[in-house]
Amino acid sequence: MQKKILASLLFILHTTLLQADNVLRIAVSQNVGVLNPQGYNTNQMYAQNMIYEGLVKTDKKGNIIPSLAVSWHIKDSGKTYIFQLRENVKFANGELFDAKAVKKNFDSILKNRLRHSWVALSMLIDSVEIQDSNHIVLHLKQPYIATLQELSLIRPFRFIAPSMIPDDLDLIQHNPIMPIGTGPYMLTHTQLGISDTFTKNPDYWDKESYNGIYFDKIITKVIIDPNAKLIALKTKQVDMIYGYDEIPIEIFKDIAKTKQFHTHTSPHIFTTTLVLNANIAPLNTDSMRKALALGINKKQLVKAVYYDYQNVADLLFSPNMPYANLVNYNPPTYNKEEAKNLIKHLGYVLQDDNFFYKDNKRLEFNLNFIGNNPAQKAMAEILQVQLKEIGIFLKLIANEETIYRNKQLNGSFDICFSQTWGIPYEPLTMLHSMLHVGHVDYVVQKNLTQKPQLDKAIQEVMRDPRFATLSSTTTHQIQTQITTILTTLYNTHIYIPLTYQTNKAITTTNIGGITMGLQAFEIPFWEFYRQ
């Protein structure tokens, strides 16, 4: 009995000390990586965002707002951007943030512009000029409508202390000695497979915006298994689980029914879709692709997998994304008989096993999915049943994630899952990516009869010098052109939008300041505090 009392007292003391230290512990699935501001792969975006800042950023509604630049001026019909830099900002090691620091970072980025070519801006920057210590000038080869959106990305256009950039400027070949940025937190300790510790940057320039009450330390604890994450939350080893892919929906649903913890959901952050490979017969016919869209009961699918925490998607880009609300577009709606009739008109005959055949060959498609993704697996199994009802056999193929991505890029699939990229990529950057080899969208679109028309329309809106600065007039013009592009794209039926994804969080009841926005890859720790 005395041992139990002593253990209880020690636990209470331990918990009290943690609270006194103003520490937030969050369960994550892996370490944050080396946190190279230009790095991909193992570099976790939420952590890069804690340390590094860029010239601009997005707010919770997806608007571009100042960050390390307080203002900007656009000249030469959208080919020149002059940024006024924020004064009295220092990197976490005391180095001065100024135009020289910005220039060195851009020089490093442009040294590997091919590595960053998925971002169109990296290929369009012609030169970077120091006007004076507080002004930097970007000269573009041609106007580009998404310039500010891409400058707000978490990578690669964020700034590290100049002393951390190697002499050859190559941050792809050489990771920085230390991840030193101007952001609200610094990475101060790493234990591989166990945790990473972030400490509040005492010289953070914007700390007064958050009243200085945010956490002194953030400890990200590596816990791979979702159920183990929940146990850690219940036993107070962690205070929070955060992220659309960190919490299985069944766990989230069960926790939401109780008052033991607080649950939070975001607005729509991106879209999960099916992508149909129009290069492969018989998916190379619009009628077959439309039949598949008509044969899927999205309402049933989404409710079965996500319960009431996500909505059915009718559009590739959610209507809450800029320029994405197509009020006059009527998407295909579930209709089994119409789907069957379209297939019959293609010369297929329904046989005794209730599958369609043509030339003694059963109508079937392969659906590739990531094997350890429970949501994709569940959706795949439901889709197999639903498409059987319209006479299509769906073969399910589970893949390791790297193999899955390679199949997407090589076009080695019939049907696969995909997702849009969220703010600030949607829709402009993602539309522009459809012009380039290396994206699944390019792969499935390349042989469409509409492809030349789509590419020309995308290039025109992205390069139009009128759209370099926004006004009520130009916003309306952009909306009109984007609507035309998206309507043409949707009418190809190569995308079947399934659900609008949401971010999710479970926290202990004493954590405040959680207001989720549109940013899919940001965890705004500097807004959180202990109540």
Side-chain angles (χ1 to χ4, degrees), residues 295-346:
I296 295 174
N297 187 338
K298 297 181 188 178
K299 185 175 181 180
Q300 180 190 73
L301 174 76
V302 174
K303 187 171 181 62
V305 178
Y306 293 102
Y307 305 95
D308 295 319
Y309 294 103
Q310 290 186 187
N311 296 326
V312 166
D314 290 322
L315 304 172
L316 179 62
F317 300 115
S318 170
N320 64 334
M321 299 297 169
Y323 313 116
N325 190 8
L326 275 61
V327 293
N328 295 320
Y329 173 71
N330 295 313
T333 55
Y334 178 55
N335 189 321
K336 289 194 295 184
E337 292 309 310
E338 186 179 350
K340 288 181 179 179
N341 286 334
L342 283 172
I343 296 171
K344 288 176 183 177
H345 287 150
L346 292 170

Side-chain angles (χ1 to χ4, degrees), residues 43-55:
N43 291 267
Q44 295 299 296
M45 292 178 73
Y46 76 85
Q48 287 170 304
N49 191 53
M50 296 166 69
I51 291 176
Y52 302 116
E53 298 176 300
L55 294 171

Side-chain angles (χ1 to χ4, degrees), residues 11 38 73 106 152 198 222 225 263 267 283 343 388 409 427 435 482:
F11 179 79
Q38 299 171 33
H73 180 54
F106 269 104
S152 76
F198 297 84
V222 179
D225 181 71
T263 56
L283 288 173
I343 296 171
K388 182 179 180 181
L409 298 183
L435 304 175
I482 296 293

Side-chain angles (χ1 to χ4, degrees), residues 36 56 64 85 94 128 157 189 252 271 299 322 329 339 371 399 519:
N36 184 331
V56 295
I64 299 297
L85 304 180
V128 180
F157 299 112
H189 186 63
F252 191 84
T271 310
K299 185 175 181 180
Y329 173 71
N399 298 271
Q519 302 99 324

Side-chain angles (χ1 to χ4, degrees), residues 149 166 282 373 527:
Q149 281 78 8
N373 185 313
E527 297 178 4

